[in-house]
Amino acid sequence: MKLGMVIDLQKCVGCGGCNLACKTENNTPEGVAWSHHISQTTGKFPDVNYSYVPTMCNHCDNAACVEVCPKDAMYKADNGLTLHDIDKCIGCRRCERACPYKVISFNKGAPHRNWQDDTPLLEGATSSPKEVLQITGAKNSPTENPERGDTYAVTRPRRTIEKCTMCDHRQNVGLKPACVEACPSGARVVGDLSNPDSEVSRLIRMHQGRPLMPEAGTKPNVYYIRSFGVRAS
Ligand code: SF4
Ligand code: SF4
Ligand code: SF4
């Protein structure tokens, strides 16, 4: 089993739904993202081109982040995913510097600290975030997804890194990653790259799928097929 993803750039409309779904599913705090994109506008009006490429951790076979980690906190799982053990992480940020795709984030401050705030949004009219937490009896933010805690801490410690896990907690129970589920155009497909009959393998063969920056030598497992360019004229 080697989990990977195919992103169809002809189907992608650049809505950013994958980024929002990822953020909600994985409780990523302010300033931290696991789902990214590269957008580019080239040319000069009226001859302008726009391109949008969703990006994420590529769960590389030769993962640079795993190689440099001094604590084995970043590791390859049996299903091919590159995962992170937050309890072992010392926040040295070597992985962040080593990743050619820049998809690792660092928690500078205490995540979700706004829930410790005792200032009401509207004085005399609304509760403060701290009161909401007390009233609901929640240990963390009441808006956080507790299911994320199956394989990764819901609220992360300060000064550690984090990144996409390809929603391992969802795939473990037969669900698709949140970004795949949320994509309105079906641009993202997840599956087993080691199975030649899987949908991902079929799409890569049919459309000559290519990874981002293969020259980095990390052997990424996210493939892109086709292309889409918006031409304003
Ligand atoms: Fe590691 Fe970066 Fe590859 Fe993800 S994309 S496995 S963080 S080197
Ligand atoms: Fe390993 Fe954590 Fe250091 Fe990254 S920040 S290299 S996961 S110990
Ligand atoms: Fe593209 Fe789908 Fe992400 Fe929207 S949700 S940006 S269509 S991949």
Side-chain angles (χ1 to χ4, degrees):
M1 163 78 81
K2 183 162 81 165
L3 289 169
M5 196 177 284
V6 169
I7 300 179
D8 186 338
L9 295 177
Q10 191 166 308
K11 286 186 175 176
C12 175
V13 293
C15 66
C18 42
N19 297 338
L20 291 177
C22 176
K23 203 151 191 54
T24 309
E25 179 67 27
N26 295 303
N27 304 318
T28 57
E30 203 177 337
V32 168
W34 292 8
S35 178
H36 306 254
H37 69 272
I38 302 166
S39 63
Q40 198 178 23
T41 306
T42 51
K44 215 172 171 187
F45 182 82
D47 193 11
V48 178
N49 276 294
Y50 177 71
S51 69
Y52 186 99
V53 178
T55 60
M56 57 190 279
C57 171
N58 292 281
H59 297 275
C60 311
D61 285 347
N62 292 339
C65 56
V66 174
E67 274 174 33
V68 299
C69 179
K71 294 288 175 187
D72 295 332
M74 200 70 94
Y75 64 97
K76 292 299 293 182
D78 291 344
N79 57 9
L81 296 180
T82 307
L83 298 180
H84 178 237
D85 184 340
I86 211 156
D87 294 327
K88 290 185 179 172
C89 180
I90 55 169
C92 67
R93 305 180 75 172
R94 288 188 198 179
C95 53
E96 192 187 0
R97 290 189 290 274
C99 172
Y101 301 95
K102 303 299 166 212
V103 289
I104 294 179
S105 295
F106 182 64
N107 285 321
K108 289 195 180 76
H112 309 297
R113 64 191 174 284
N114 52 324
W115 290 98
Q116 293 144 22
D117 185 354
D118 57 7
T119 317
L121 286 176
L122 293 174
E123 195 61 53
T126 65
S127 307
S128 69
K130 193 171 182 179
E131 282 170 329
V132 173
L133 205 59
Q134 283 163 352
I135 291 162
T136 58
K139 286 188 185 143
N140 306 301
S141 145
T143 58
E144 283 169 23
N145 171 22
E147 285 164 20
R148 174 65 274 190
D150 286 351
T151 60
Y152 205 72
V154 170
T155 302
R156 290 99 212 200
R158 197 175 171 203
R159 303 192 71 75
T160 51
I161 65 87
E162 52 182 89
K163 69 159 196 70
C164 158
T165 64
M166 214 183 264
C167 282
D168 60 316
H169 62 299
R170 289 175 60 88
Q171 297 208 64
N172 287 347
V173 294
L175 298 173
K176 292 175 185 166
C179 60
V180 175
E181 194 71 51
C183 178
S185 57
R188 302 169 86 107
V189 182
V190 71
D192 184 3
L193 293 170
S194 67
N195 176 2
D197 298 325
S198 67
E199 177 73 353
V200 277
S201 298
R202 193 185 64 76
L203 286 169
I204 291 168
R205 269 198 312 275
M206 185 188 294
H207 298 290
Q208 293 88 47
R210 69 260 172 212
L212 273 187
M213 292 167 58
E215 67 280 8
T218 58
K219 296 198 175 162
N221 287 310
V222 174
Y223 286 82
Y224 294 85
I225 60 171
R226 309 199 283 183
S227 62
F228 183 74
V230 178
R231 194 173 177 83
S233 58

